[in-house]
Amino acid sequence: MPTRGEPRVTTSPPPRGDLFDPNCPTRHLLDRIGDKWTAMAIKVLAQAHPDEVRFADLRRRIPGISSKMLSQTLQALVADGLLTRRVEATVPPAVWYGATPLGLSLDQPLAILRNWAESHMAEIDTHRRTSQAT
Amino acid sequence: MPTRGEPRVTTSPPPRGDLFDPNCPTRHLLDRIGDKWTAMAIKVLAQAHPDEVRFADLRRRIPGISSKMLSQTLQALVADGLLTRRVEATVPPAVWYGATPLGLSLDQPLAILRNWAESHMAEIDTHRRTSQAT
């Protein structure tokens, strides 16, 4: 069971999504959060919490990501309420990102999936090579 | 810690992946397993285990998936060693899929992520609507 980062003040629970319902936004949500760039951005910002991290530092700590892909990933996570974005009026402006309580609550589920992928990578890579050879 | 479905006979552990290494196949693996169709296929086949499920039944139990997308998803999961594929020589031939121990071990990590997505879907949907309106 996931832990909740925030106390609930509503008396009835919010509607629950259903991945198996084609009309439910859970499907698109799962694709966004299951993305490798999201997994890395959430990990870096959850580890930095409560500090924020600048765009340029994020790019350095997510090796291989392009500026454009990092922008798109962060923009989607801000729109989802998982990250905060703060523009500091320096010259040039500095843009800081931080994890919200909702973003922090995603860190553990993603860590479990990342751990599974890292643990089984070698075994799966062997399977793929074998199946491509036949 | 994930449980291992199979006893290990090697004396040294297999090499571990690193998501933050741009050259590591863990990145592609995470994108494949974080996909919504993979999440649904693994759930259906893990629940059916030890029974196999026919292609047509899988398609019915994953509402909204096209034949082509289901084929691609299953083919990738077979190549990764997460599913078995068995062709029965009937007329027309029946194709059966089943979860391997490796595929079964992915069910719980995906269930945790799916549960997070379904639990927070309403909250995130509200965020997105608000951010699109501004």
Side-chain angles (χ1 to χ4, degrees), chain B residues 25-57:
Chain B
T26 298
R27 293 192 164 198
H28 303 292
L29 174 59
L30 193 66
D31 274 347
R32 288 201 300 280
I33 63 178
D35 174 78
K36 62 178 175 295
W37 302 125
T38 295
M40 286 187 265
I42 291 287
K43 185 185 178 181
V44 168
L45 287 164
Q47 282 185 335
H49 186 81
D51 290 341
E52 296 171 308
V53 182
R54 284 178 62 160
F55 184 90
D57 285 332

Side-chain angles (χ1 to χ4, degrees), chain A residues 8-29:
Chain A
R8 301 243 165 226
V9 291
T10 51
T11 49
S12 62
R16 189 179 168 84
D18 177 9
L19 180 60
F20 283 80
D21 174 357
N23 299 316
C24 180
T26 297
R27 292 190 164 200
H28 302 292
L29 174 59

Side-chain angles (χ1 to χ4, degrees), chain B residues 44-95:
Chain B
V44 168
L45 287 164
Q47 282 185 335
H49 186 81
D51 290 341
E52 296 171 308
V53 182
R54 284 178 62 160
F55 184 90
D57 285 332
L58 275 171
R59 194 173 167 199
R60 205 165 28 77
R61 289 155 78 171
I62 303 176
I65 198 167
S66 67
S67 255
K68 186 180 172 189
M69 183 55 74
L70 181 57
S71 283
Q72 286 175 356
T73 302
L74 295 172
Q75 193 178 2
L77 293 174
V78 170
D80 282 341
L82 301 175
L83 300 184
T84 56
R85 178 181 190 273
R86 183 173 63 84
V87 181
E88 200 178 8
T90 51
V91 180
V95 186

Side-chain angles (χ1 to χ4, degrees), chain A residues 60-113:
Chain A
R60 203 165 30 78
R61 287 154 78 170
I62 304 175
I65 197 168
S66 67
S67 256
K68 187 180 172 190
M69 184 54 75
L70 181 57
S71 283
Q72 286 174 356
T73 301
L74 295 172
Q75 194 179 0
L77 294 173
V78 169
D80 282 341
L82 300 176
L83 300 184
T84 57
R85 180 181 189 272
R86 183 172 63 83
V87 181
E88 198 178 9
T90 51
V91 181
V95 186
W96 296 84
Y97 292 88
T100 64
L102 190 60
L104 290 175
S105 76
L106 177 57
D107 187 43
Q108 199 195 4
L110 284 181
I112 292 168
L113 193 65

Side-chain angles (χ1 to χ4, degrees), chain A residues 2 6 16-17 19-20 26-27 31 36-37 63 79-80 102 105 115-116 118-121 123 127-128, chain B residues 2 6 16-17 19-20 26-27 31 36-37 63 79-80 102 105 115-116 118-121 123 127-128:
Chain A
E6 300 166 311
R16 189 179 168 84
L19 180 60
F20 283 80
T26 297
R27 292 190 164 200
D31 273 347
K36 62 178 175 293
W37 303 125
D80 282 341
L102 190 60
S105 76
N115 185 53
W116 186 93
E118 291 180 343
S119 302
H120 294 90
M121 181 277 302
E123 187 176 353
H127 270 291
R128 285 192 84 80
Chain B
E6 297 166 313
R16 190 180 166 82
L19 179 61
F20 283 80
T26 298
R27 293 192 164 198
D31 274 347
K36 62 178 175 295
W37 302 125
D80 282 341
L102 190 59
S105 76
N115 186 52
W116 186 92
E118 290 180 343
S119 302
H120 295 89
M121 181 278 301
E123 186 176 354
H127 268 293
R128 285 193 83 81

